Amino acid sequence: MATTNDLKNGIVLNLDGQLWSVVEFQHVKPGKGGAFVRTKLKNVLSGKVVDKTFNAGVKVETANVDRREMTYLYRDADDFVFMDTQSYEQTHVAAGIVGDAANFMLENQDATVGLHDGTPLFVELPASVVLTIEYTEPGLQGDRSTGGNKPARLETGYEVQVPLFITSGERVKVDTRDGSYLGRAG
């Protein structure tokens, strides 16, 4: 058990038998009346996002989520297979749970997998990853960094917008949260 004052992003709550991950929260202290906490919660299994308001100091039940460092091994039909870096145990994670992280995952890449009673709940990648541009239109003489963007296909098959001077085969840094280009990788 915890109180609403202990809420932070990523914590998983057990509300009415369902698991909800806190996406955002905000403590609000109006001039009149009691303080409250406004939250945005994401259902861990369905992905549905809801807004919920709690009175400040109310007890909420937290779910025991085991965050484990794992390595992505390969894709098996609709599942992604991860290996626990401690026990070398393999875990199958459904594509729906991996979600957009699949756009940035290569084999042998490290990720954090959240488990509740052995059931995978989510996959977290580092904030940015380095990937190779598989194909993009060639740049033209005179293209500069301020000249605009063009689409580029990454080695994972995901398409990202890059500056005009980037060429096929270059390694670039990509933000895993929104898929934006962050710069060339050294």
Side-chain angles (χ1 to χ4, degrees):
M1 292 295 267
T3 69
T4 53
N5 300 331
D6 302 327
L7 291 183
K8 56 182 179 269
N9 291 350
I11 197 168
V12 178
L13 305 176
N14 187 347
L15 302 174
D16 305 324
Q18 292 192 16
L19 299 178
W20 298 85
S21 175
V22 176
V23 179
E24 347 179 308
F25 70 97
Q26 178 184 15
H27 288 277
V28 180
K29 176 82 174 95
K32 206 156 124 188
F36 58 91
V37 180
R38 192 178 292 135
T39 63
K40 187 174 279 190
L41 303 173
K42 180 178 178 182
N43 188 303
V44 171
L45 297 176
S46 71
K48 181 176 157 189
V49 176
V50 297
D51 293 322
K52 187 159 175 67
T53 303
F54 298 96
N55 288 329
V58 170
K59 293 210 176 306
V60 287
E61 187 180 342
T62 56
N64 185 16
V65 175
D66 189 11
R67 297 168 86 87
R68 293 198 189 150
E69 290 302 314
M70 296 198 180
T71 302
Y72 168 56
L73 297 179
Y74 59 91
R75 186 155 188 178
D76 179 25
D78 284 342
D79 289 354
F80 290 80
V81 180
F82 289 84
M83 180 185 68
D84 191 316
T85 55
Q86 303 291 308
S87 67
Y88 301 108
E89 198 175 293
Q90 290 188 9
T91 302
H92 287 256
V93 180
I97 293 168
V98 174
D100 290 342
N103 296 327
F104 310 106
M105 285 190 332
L106 292 175
E107 292 177 359
N108 298 319
Q109 182 172 346
D110 291 333
T112 302
V113 178
L115 302 164
H116 176 68
D117 294 337
T119 306
L121 301 178
F122 58 83
V123 173
E124 284 179 358
L125 294 178
S128 65
V129 292
V130 174
L131 295 167
T132 303
I133 302 257
E134 198 170 76
Y135 177 78
T136 186
E137 292 293 327
L140 300 170
Q141 185 64 33
D143 283 345
R144 299 285 177 261
S145 61
T146 56
N149 290 332
K150 63 182 177 180
R153 189 174 65 243
L154 299 171
E155 59 190 308
T156 60
Y158 184 72
E159 199 167 273
V160 65
Q161 292 292 319
V162 298
L164 296 170
F165 60 84
I166 297 291
T167 58
S168 295
E170 279 194 76
R171 294 181 55 76
V172 294
K173 198 177 223 183
V174 180
D175 189 318
T176 58
R177 295 165 300 208
D178 61 10
S180 62
Y181 165 84
L182 295 174
R184 282 180 165 150

